[in-house]
Amino acid sequence: MPDAASIKIVKKISWKGGIQEWSNRYHFDGGAPADLTKWTTFADAVVAAERHCFKSWIPFAEAVGYGAGSDVPVFSKLYAVSGDATTPAGDVQAPEVAALVRYATAKRSSKNHPVYLFNYYHGVYTTSATNPDWLENNQKGLFDTYASASTLATTRLTEPYVTHRDFR
């Protein structure tokens, strides 16, 4: 269990005749927000920033906050907003196709290896039918911009190729 507070942002996507929820969890230093009002402000800011990476067919469902070292939620807020990106303009991919953003941190493991964090994002587009494995350039730029807001990461990399991520 990480020793930092975290927030999980839950999104939805149509998948195999139903709706599949998926999420990204972000850990942060400096302790958890002090009260529900600060959690709400923080969650709203994260959702507002992440929305820019997705088109309107990706709805945001919930934000869940966790204290350091715990998987017991201390905060939850439901959302009824969707992505607000006007790009990308490529070919939409199946829900299992994902963009991958890798963050390097200054932290070290118990074996002195660098600690990397990864986020997978569904609802992605590729460049064209002739290049179905390349993340669409505009959406890659949106993920790059979003990832750059992480002040704890020493470097960030949005993979230029899409990848596959199974749902639970």
Side-chain angles (χ1 to χ4, degrees):
M1 181 63 51
D3 60 351
S6 63
I7 190 165
K8 178 171 66 173
I9 307 299
V10 181
K11 279 94 45 193
K12 295 180 180 183
I13 196 166
S14 295
W15 187 58
K16 295 186 178 182
I19 299 295
Q20 176 68 44
E21 288 188 347
W22 59 281
S23 63
N24 294 100
R25 191 164 177 176
Y26 307 101
H27 294 86
F28 50 93
D29 284 343
D35 56 39
L36 292 180
T37 301
K38 290 183 174 142
W39 267 112
T40 299
T41 301
F42 180 60
D44 289 349
V46 173
V47 168
E50 193 175 314
R51 286 179 65 201
H52 299 316
C53 298
F54 302 98
K55 284 197 159 187
S56 62
W57 61 276
I58 300 293
F60 285 68
E62 185 178 20
V64 182
Y66 302 90
S70 176
D71 261 341
V72 177
V74 296
F75 168 81
S76 178
K77 179 181 177 183
L78 298 177
Y79 285 89
V81 298
S82 295
D84 61 5
T86 56
T87 60
D91 295 330
V92 67
Q93 294 300 299
E96 298 94 326
V97 176
L100 172 64
V101 179
R102 183 190 74 166
Y103 301 85
T105 69
K107 296 190 182 253
R108 307 295 283 192
S109 73
S110 60
K111 295 185 179 185
N112 201 32
H113 296 156
V115 173
Y116 294 96
L117 305 173
F118 296 87
N119 283 124
Y120 293 87
Y121 298 97
H122 302 276
V124 298
Y125 291 74
T126 56
T127 304
S128 69
T130 58
N131 291 319
D133 55 350
W134 280 89
L135 183 61
E136 195 272 339
N137 289 331
N138 291 315
Q139 192 171 36
K140 182 181 181 307
L142 295 171
F143 286 125
D144 286 339
T145 299
Y146 179 67
S148 293
S150 172
T151 57
L152 296 179
T154 56
T155 61
R156 300 143 200 89
L157 173 67
T158 302
E159 289 288 338
Y161 295 103
V162 293
T163 189
H164 179 268
R165 183 76 172 178
D166 285 328
F167 293 117
R168 293 185 182 186

